[in-house]
Amino acid sequence: MLAVFLAPFYLLFNFYIFRWLIRWMSSCTRYFQKPLLRGVVLFLYAFLALSILLAFLWPARWLYALSNLWFGSCCYILLIVAAADLIRLVLKYLVKVPKEKLSSRKVFVTSGAFCILLILSLSVLGYVNARNIRTTHYEVTVDKSCQDLSSLRIVLAADLHLGYNMGNDQMKRMVEKINAADPDLVVIAGDFFDNDFDAVEDPETISATLRQIRSRYGTYACYGNHDIQEKILAGFTFPSDEKKESDPRMDAFLADSNIQLMQDETLLIDDAFYLIGRADRERPGRGIQKRMTPQQLTEGLDQTKPILVLDHEPDELSELAAAGADLDLSGHTHDGQLFPANLIVSMVWENSCGYLEKDGMHSIVTSGVGVFGPNMRVGTKSEICVIDCQFLTGESYIHGSRCQRTL
């Protein structure tokens, strides 16, 4: 198991950081050289460092919230301390700064204070930023007739991750943003839950909030890889011989929220356009051993009508385009959630976030409403996407050839 393999490195990392912290505090004032104060600092730091494991063993809400904040801060402790050490080595061996200057108390205290301030600032701002839901607008053109509709306003949301990090307050903000857009259709591309329905605080109240979503054609959703009941330790799951699938209470929650779950299903809405909801690639869900291919999903459909696809992960784009899909709507990636992970994610996915035209098909991927693991966003945003889809016909237009994006 990968978590067991990484555990010694995590312990060594924390030992290094604690040693650095004690040296810095002792340099700031001689009072921190006393064994009693060092013992207090050791206890507090050890509690934070072990909070991830403690929350797994004792799932108290406050402890989980603390451990998720610590998890995010750890990422920046590692990056900033590593950067500080690298700068010190560059100054020492390449720039040839005298050793007595680099090792002086003043330089050590000042640089340490700067690092701590930067870590705290990123953590606090990241926590606040994760709760600020933005609206991103797209305009796309599909060269197909859609009955009497000349346009369709779609709101795309994804990755709510209801649980210890996200609750009713975030859902209220999301619903307000959705209703302000006055949508014709609302779609939610998976990961409603954070792997544990019991972690959802007051699900009845959240359902009541989600029932306030207003749209002409209703709200539809597919499941994602986290919409299952399983234990997670610092983002790592445990192997099991049993198929991992959603808790029946999750299905009931969506039904109570007036959200229609679609798993490898196709709906013809208002005899005007098709909406396909795909089963998740990794966890296809109850009653599905292997999800259907794009070709199987579109087989027998009237290809003169617009075909919209809702899929949690933005994969199989070429296959979807070849099968006749006009618009593919996804989430999953979080756009990396924390810088610099967004740079890595952009290299993994063909469309990691935003808009991509693929073989005449529009692909739009949202960075999501909620967060997974670290309870913060740095360098990315929580968002809903408002997509104005124009339906035009005529030789002057090429299928799926136009997109404009406004913020």
Side-chain angles (χ1 to χ4, degrees), residues 339-353:
F339 175 86
N342 51 340
L343 303 179
I344 299 171
V345 165
S346 66
M347 295 185 288
V348 174
W349 295 95
E350 187 174 10
N351 183 15
S352 62
C353 188

Side-chain angles (χ1 to χ4, degrees), residues 1-31:
M1 181 176 153
L2 187 58
V4 175
F5 173 77
L6 293 176
F9 296 97
Y10 179 72
L11 292 175
L12 287 173
F13 160 73
N14 279 287
F15 174 77
Y16 177 77
I17 296 301
F18 176 73
R19 180 174 174 273
W20 181 91
L21 181 63
I22 286 294
R23 283 183 57 217
W24 178 79
M25 295 174 71
S26 299
S27 298
C28 290
T29 172
R30 58 185 177 84
Y31 291 109

Side-chain angles (χ1 to χ4, degrees), residues 147-397:
Q147 290 290 87
D148 297 328
L149 294 176
S150 60
S151 66
L152 185 72
R153 171 162 283 195
I154 305 166
V155 168
L156 167 66
D159 303 289
L160 312 187
H161 284 281
L162 294 171
Y164 294 111
N165 284 338
M166 294 288 138
N168 193 51
D169 288 344
Q170 188 77 341
M171 293 303 98
K172 284 183 178 180
R173 288 186 282 267
M174 181 190 76
V175 171
E176 288 175 2
K177 292 283 186 179
I178 290 174
N179 289 341
D182 190 23
D184 297 311
L185 178 71
V186 177
V187 292
I188 304 177
D191 278 2
F192 276 87
F193 305 98
D194 219 5
N195 297 83
D196 184 3
F197 187 81
D198 291 319
V200 181
E201 188 175 25
D202 198 0
E204 292 81 9
T205 299
I206 297 176
S207 283
T209 298
L210 294 174
R211 284 198 298 271
Q212 296 174 25
I213 296 175
R214 299 188 301 269
S215 65
R216 179 179 180 181
Y217 295 115
T219 304
Y220 301 86
C222 64
Y223 270 154
N225 57 304
H226 289 283
D227 292 316
I228 56 174
Q229 193 72 19
E230 67 175 343
K231 284 287 188 180
I232 283 187
L233 175 60
F236 296 100
T237 59
F238 296 86
S240 173
D241 293 332
E242 297 182 2
K243 182 182 179 181
K244 296 180 179 180
E245 55 189 28
S246 62
D247 187 314
R249 293 175 295 174
M250 296 177 178
D251 305 350
F253 174 90
L254 263 62
D256 189 44
S257 303
N258 288 341
I259 298 172
Q260 183 169 340
L261 176 64
M262 301 178 67
Q263 297 200 90
D264 274 357
E265 298 174 59
T266 301
L267 287 176
L268 177 58
I269 297 178
D270 200 26
D271 198 33
F273 62 92
Y274 292 104
L275 177 64
I276 298 174
R278 301 198 70 186
D280 183 65
R281 181 184 69 170
E282 299 177 32
R283 312 280 169 74
R286 188 178 296 105
I288 301 175
Q289 295 302 318
K290 184 178 180 180
R291 73 171 182 169
M292 296 172 68
T293 65
Q295 197 66 44
Q296 289 172 326
L297 287 167
T298 61
E299 187 176 3
L301 302 186
D302 182 357
Q303 299 265 343
T304 65
K305 298 180 185 294
I307 300 175
L308 317 181
V309 178
L310 182 61
D311 191 359
H312 178 60
E313 299 188 23
D315 68 330
E316 296 187 326
L317 300 185
S318 295
E319 292 85 349
L320 285 166
D326 299 293
L327 180 60
D328 183 50
L329 305 170
S330 303
H332 181 65
T333 68
H334 292 227
D335 193 22
Q337 191 167 314
L338 297 176
F339 175 86
N342 51 340
L343 303 179
I344 299 171
V345 165
S346 66
M347 295 185 288
V348 174
W349 295 95
E350 187 174 10
N351 183 15
S352 62
C353 188
Y355 173 82
L356 175 72
E357 188 273 331
K358 182 68 177 180
D359 299 333
M361 180 188 74
H362 302 288
S363 166
I364 295 177
V365 180
T366 175
S367 60
V369 170
V371 294
F372 170 70
N375 195 0
M376 57 185 69
R377 278 186 179 269
V378 178
T380 64
K381 64 181 178 181
S382 297
E383 68 171 2
I384 64 166
C385 296
V386 176
I387 305 153
D388 286 314
C389 188
Q390 307 293 327
F391 302 107
L392 299 170
T393 57
E395 295 180 358
S396 60
Y397 294 96

